[in-house]
Amino acid sequence: MAKEIRSFKHLLGKLDGISDPQLEAHFGLYEGYVKKLNEIEEKLEKTDKGLTNYSFGEFSELKRRHCVPYNGTYLHEMYFENLISTESPSPQFENLAKAAFGSVDNWKADVKATGLAVPGWVVTCVETTTGKLKNVQIMEHHIGFPLNHVPVLVMDTWEHAFFLDFKANRGAYIDVFFKNINWSVVNARVTQCAK
Ligand SMILES: [Fe+2]
């Protein structure tokens, strides 16, 4: 069954420092990933598996790129979900941040440093093997994401996420992102991880 495009129009006019034109352009990019995910999955069902080949083959190329629109779709959905400022970090999140980074401020500094260096994504995760909070850097949508990490906070650091509002100032965008975190969503994801 084809993946449906979700609407995040409830964010319009509700973010502090991220404009509606910036958001609307971003929604369009997200929709493109959903369409391309559906296109690849449909082609994979029809493509001759006998033509797969390490150097080049239609089936193998579709498989190789599948993770790009797949993660591009779901990372964007998690990003839009964790926007609109609400509440504050739960005691559970604060304890995880303190255990891993010493303080919530140190966790934020690590997110920013991680984000300044990546045209891609910064994802705060709970590592399932240790229960530890980690900030992971993802290049493109799929490169560098380690096993055993469950995302709880997703920040888009592709230029398309901020260029209309901040030009090339990725750091200013990251500072504004922190002001717009939907902590009720993030806290619930953390609770889910702890189960
Ligand atoms: Fe994006």
Side-chain angles (χ1 to χ4, degrees):
M1 193 169 69
K3 163 82 177 125
E4 289 186 7
I5 294 167
R6 290 175 57 186
S7 172
F8 294 95
K9 287 183 177 172
H10 65 280
L11 296 175
L12 296 172
K14 298 285 173 52
L15 300 187
D16 181 357
I18 299 176
S19 69
D20 287 353
Q22 177 68 77
L23 274 174
E24 284 168 331
H26 208 168
F27 295 157
L29 275 154
Y30 153 69
E31 289 173 13
Y33 284 114
V34 179
K35 288 174 185 169
K36 201 48 88 172
L37 172 62
N38 288 332
E39 181 186 332
I40 287 181
E41 293 195 340
E42 193 178 320
K43 283 184 177 172
L44 277 168
E45 284 182 15
K46 296 174 182 168
T47 302
D48 185 349
K49 294 178 177 59
L51 298 177
T52 190
N53 181 279
Y54 173 72
S55 296
F56 176 78
E58 190 177 355
F59 184 82
S60 40
E61 289 306 298
L62 288 166
K63 275 285 187 188
R64 187 174 66 81
R65 296 301 290 178
H66 176 261
C67 200
V68 174
Y70 186 91
N71 283 10
T73 292
Y74 288 101
L75 283 167
H76 276 108
E77 291 186 355
M78 293 192 77
Y79 169 73
F80 293 134
E81 280 170 7
N82 63 216
L83 290 177
I84 291 190
S85 177
T86 61
E87 298 186 20
S88 53
S90 63
Q92 189 180 21
F93 183 93
E94 287 183 344
N95 287 338
L96 285 170
K98 283 176 190 166
F101 298 95
S103 69
V104 173
D105 283 345
N106 287 352
W107 162 77
K108 283 173 74 172
D110 191 86
V111 170
K112 185 169 182 179
T114 306
L116 286 172
V118 62
W121 300 87
V122 178
V123 184
T124 297
C125 300
V126 174
E127 185 181 21
T128 56
T129 49
T130 62
K132 203 172 172 186
L133 206 65
K134 298 270 187 81
N135 292 323
V136 174
Q137 196 178 64
I138 304 176
M139 296 292 291
E140 202 171 348
H141 298 304
H142 63 311
I143 300 169
F145 192 68
L147 293 175
N148 305 321
H149 284 66
V150 179
V152 296
L153 176 68
V154 173
M155 177 172 69
D156 194 335
T157 52
W158 284 71
E159 281 84 355
H160 68 241
F162 59 84
F163 203 83
L164 282 180
D165 288 339
F166 298 96
K167 300 294 184 278
N169 194 343
R170 183 179 272 109
Y173 157 72
I174 292 173
D175 290 339
V176 160
F177 171 80
F178 284 122
K179 290 197 289 182
N180 287 286
I181 293 174
N182 187 329
W183 281 105
S184 62
V185 167
V186 177
N187 294 340
R189 289 177 185 160
V190 172
T191 302
Q192 190 71 25
C193 285
K195 281 182 181 172

